Amino acid sequence: MIGNRMFAYALLASAAMPVNGQDAPGVPPSSVVIPSASVRSKAALDEPSGPPRYMPGLPEGTPADAGELTPPAPVTLFTDALQRSYWTHPNLLAQRARVRSADYRMPQARAASGPSISAEASYGYQRDNVELSTGSWAARSGWASTASAIVNQPLYTFGRNAAGEHQAGAEIAFERASLRTTEMETLFGAIAAYAGLLRDRSDIGVVADDLALLERELSDNKARFEKREVTVSDLQQVETRVEQARAQMLLARRTASSAEANFLAAIGAPAGNLQPPNPLSMPVASLEEAYAYADSNSPVLAAAYAPERISRAARDGARADMLPRFDLRGRADYGTISPYHDDPRQTTLRGEVVVSAPVFASGALRARSQEAEAANDADWRLLDAALRQNRFEVASAWNDWVATSAAIDPLRRSAEQARAAFDGALLQEKAGFRTTLDVLQLARDLLSARSSYNAATANAYIAQARLLAAMGALEQSWLFPDAPVYDPDAHYQRTKNDGMIPVIVPALRAVDGVTLGGGKNRAVRDPAASTAAPAVTIPPPAAQPVPTGQEDRTGSGIIPFAVDSCGEA
């Protein structure tokens, strides 16, 4: 619909004339015309018009300190940012609602093993003409009422009902795994937005320092030009770099503004004077341990196990459809002896055990069972693919985190040496031992070194968060052990037995599921499943003193992120 509308706008714009002879600055004459409301074509269905209506509200059970509704106050602390995102992000709230919706599939599936009662009542008119002899007719007519109640209780379905219950459980498990994935994506997005904004704000300071150095160099060169100590070419070179630095400042502000918007989208509140983020602790000390942790905790693998169980339950149900079933049925009727009047009345009670079985379906049932078998095999193989992909994500995130973290100290020392080289070159330039071009090149090296160091401090932190997410550890309970956590099991426990008759139905459910087993996770069949990718090798650092703490040693105003090695922060 949007594409069609834009195409219509383009057609209108191509044929329109300038409005009052005026065109927007920088726009070719008569190239764009915005159609009026009367020109816009209406869709076949009514569309909502006007701005959205606002009615702030959070789900029941949201902690009171998760964030005020409107307007949200600027966030300054890392903990507050992640808590607000965890409890108020729309995508996460929607997935929690999907999990609650899926919970109701279990009582629906269990209801198939319980009794069902239906009732019907009728009051109707009937008229019959009966020919007694040729040309002689007798008519009978009248009104009569009847009422019936039908009870049906499955006794044994050879796994049909149990397969439906297993399928419902697997569907709930899939939604829960999707919820964990969404939670980790939300928390990772909040961490990346927080660290990215700190990085981009710091980058403005780096570019501003570079611009100040170049402007000071330009001022010095102008003074030296008046004394005929430098040529006009030297002066023009500095002016070129100053203009480039001013353009870089605009681009840096543009990037930071985009980061501010991303922060608002990820957190749900504007960013204030952000404090350095909390250190992230790791539950593992090696890539091999990361693999093992992910195998047990990754929601991606849990989400891959669930579809296999869903299709396996569908296969079991298709197989059971080829077998008989036993049902207990009862019927009670209250009606009339004659269909033409209500008197006299009669009652009927009937109970029976019904055995029903498919006899011949021209191969349709067997074909359906074989189709379900092949579909289940496909989902089983996709489990192997999910394991491969998850191990790739773990290895990639691990190597990225380790390498980027190891690069921070060399980049810091590089920035320190670049600053010292630039300061020395300024003195040598005044003494005539360095050219203006040499100084400008060293200024560029200093900007590059400081920008790289600034990016590395943030990227290492983001890479660590990505690794935690790939392993399945980037959760509220791991990041903030003492903070409240959303528990999807609480709603499930309240709803799973809705409407179920005690004792009788649980016994019938247990008998019906004997032949199917417990619907457990299947083994991985991939021959390469036990093969691990190599971890990145970090050479030992050079023997030199390494500064401690978080004091600024680069002259850039950058506070390095707290990057924790393996273990507790």
Side-chain angles (χ1 to χ4, degrees), residues 92 95 99 173-183 185 299 303:
L92 193 48
Q95 184 57 40
V99 173
F174 177 79
E175 293 296 343
R176 288 197 185 186
S178 299
L179 174 60
R180 289 188 61 214
T181 300
T182 304
E183 287 180 349
E185 290 175 349

Side-chain angles (χ1 to χ4, degrees), residues 69-154:
L69 296 179
T70 182
V75 173
T76 60
L77 297 177
F78 180 74
T79 302
D80 293 343
L82 265 62
Q83 291 303 297
R84 174 177 284 275
S85 183
Y86 179 79
W87 288 109
T88 67
H89 198 285
N91 289 343
L92 193 48
L93 297 182
Q95 184 57 40
R96 288 170 183 164
R98 290 192 186 96
V99 173
R100 294 195 298 272
S101 174
D103 287 344
Y104 292 104
R105 298 175 191 173
M106 182 58 71
Q108 293 180 56
R110 291 182 173 179
S113 298
S116 61
I117 303 175
S118 61
E120 61 182 32
S122 66
Y123 182 68
Y125 173 80
Q126 183 171 333
R127 175 182 174 85
D128 296 322
N129 277 337
V130 180
E131 187 176 15
L132 301 178
S133 61
T134 304
S136 177
W137 296 81
R140 290 181 296 179
S141 63
W143 294 83
S145 61
T146 61
S148 301
I150 302 97
V151 180
N152 187 81
Q153 171 62 62

Side-chain angles (χ1 to χ4, degrees), residues 24-51:
V27 179
S30 304
S31 62
V32 177
V33 173
I34 300 178
S36 63
S38 61
V39 177
R40 296 191 182 103
S41 60
K42 291 193 66 176
L45 299 176
D46 290 337
E47 297 178 352
S49 59

Side-chain angles (χ1 to χ4, degrees), residues 425-485:
L426 289 178
L427 298 176
Q428 293 174 346
E429 180 192 23
K430 294 178 180 179
F433 297 111
R434 288 275 191 174
T435 65
T436 301
L437 183 60
D438 293 337
V439 175
L440 294 178
Q441 183 60 45
L442 289 172
R444 178 171 293 175
D445 293 343
L446 175 59
L447 173 64
S448 176
R450 294 165 68 188
S451 296
S452 298
Y453 172 67
N454 179 44
T457 55
N459 292 343
Y461 194 86
I462 295 174
Q464 188 178 10
R466 178 191 166 205
L467 174 59
L468 289 171
M471 292 190 302
L474 193 66
E475 295 184 295
Q476 174 88 337
S477 58
W478 175 259
L479 297 176
F480 309 105
D482 298 328
V485 178

Side-chain angles (χ1 to χ4, degrees), residues 128-393:
D128 296 322
N129 277 337
V130 180
E131 187 176 15
L132 301 178
S133 61
T134 304
S136 177
W137 296 81
R140 290 181 296 179
S141 63
W143 294 83
S145 61
T146 61
S148 301
I150 302 97
V151 180
N152 187 81
Q153 171 62 62
L155 297 178
Y156 187 58
T157 67
F158 286 88
R160 287 178 178 85
N161 293 343
E165 188 172 335
H166 289 174
Q167 182 170 347
E171 290 171 350
I172 295 172
F174 177 79
E175 293 296 343
R176 288 197 185 186
S178 299
L179 174 60
R180 289 188 61 214
T181 300
T182 304
E183 287 180 349
M184 293 184 191
E185 290 175 349
T186 301
L187 291 174
F188 176 76
I191 292 173
Y194 196 101
L197 181 55
L198 279 176
R199 175 196 61 210
D200 294 337
R201 284 180 175 180
S202 297
D203 198 51
I204 292 179
V206 172
V207 177
D209 287 347
D210 179 67
L211 177 58
L213 292 176
L214 293 174
E215 287 178 339
R216 188 161 56 247
E217 176 69 9
L218 177 60
S219 177
D220 293 343
N221 273 263
K222 286 181 177 179
R224 295 177 64 195
F225 177 73
E226 294 176 356
K227 297 178 182 180
R228 302 295 189 268
E229 293 180 2
V230 296
T231 66
V232 66
S233 296
D234 294 330
L235 187 61
Q236 290 171 341
Q237 287 177 343
V238 181
E239 289 175 341
T240 300
R241 286 296 309 279
V242 168
E243 294 303 326
Q244 291 177 346
R246 288 171 179 166
Q248 282 184 307
M249 173 59 72
L250 294 175
L251 296 177
R253 292 187 181 278
R254 183 276 313 271
T255 302
S257 296
S258 298
E260 298 275 359
N262 183 49
F263 185 94
L264 178 59
I267 306 301
N273 184 20
L274 299 181
Q275 302 301 308
N278 301 354
L280 299 176
S281 59
M282 296 294 295
V284 297
S286 66
L287 180 56
E288 290 73 18
E289 293 181 7
Y291 282 144
Y293 190 96
D295 289 348
S296 300
N297 297 278
S298 172
V300 175
L301 295 182
Y305 277 115
E308 189 280 325
R309 297 206 308 273
I310 292 173
S311 61
R312 196 193 326 163
R315 180 208 65 184
D316 294 338
R319 288 177 176 177
D321 286 339
M322 296 188 294
L323 301 174
R325 62 176 294 159
F326 296 86
D327 295 274
L328 177 63
R329 294 179 186 174
R331 183 182 182 96
D333 296 304
Y334 176 72
T336 62
I337 297 177
S338 171
Y340 306 111
H341 49 80
D342 277 341
D343 294 316
R345 313 289 294 180
Q346 70 173 359
T347 60
T348 303
L349 295 176
R350 179 172 181 171
E352 57 188 357
V353 175
V354 180
V355 180
S356 56
V359 178
F360 182 71
S362 299
L365 296 179
R366 181 170 298 278
R368 192 177 304 153
S369 174
Q370 292 172 341
E371 177 191 5
E373 181 76 33
N376 176 246
D377 186 65
D379 289 334
W380 197 355
R381 293 298 181 185
L382 289 177
L383 171 61
D384 300 342
L387 180 60
R388 283 194 184 189
Q389 182 63 28
N390 185 248
R391 291 203 163 196
F392 163 75
E393 292 292 340

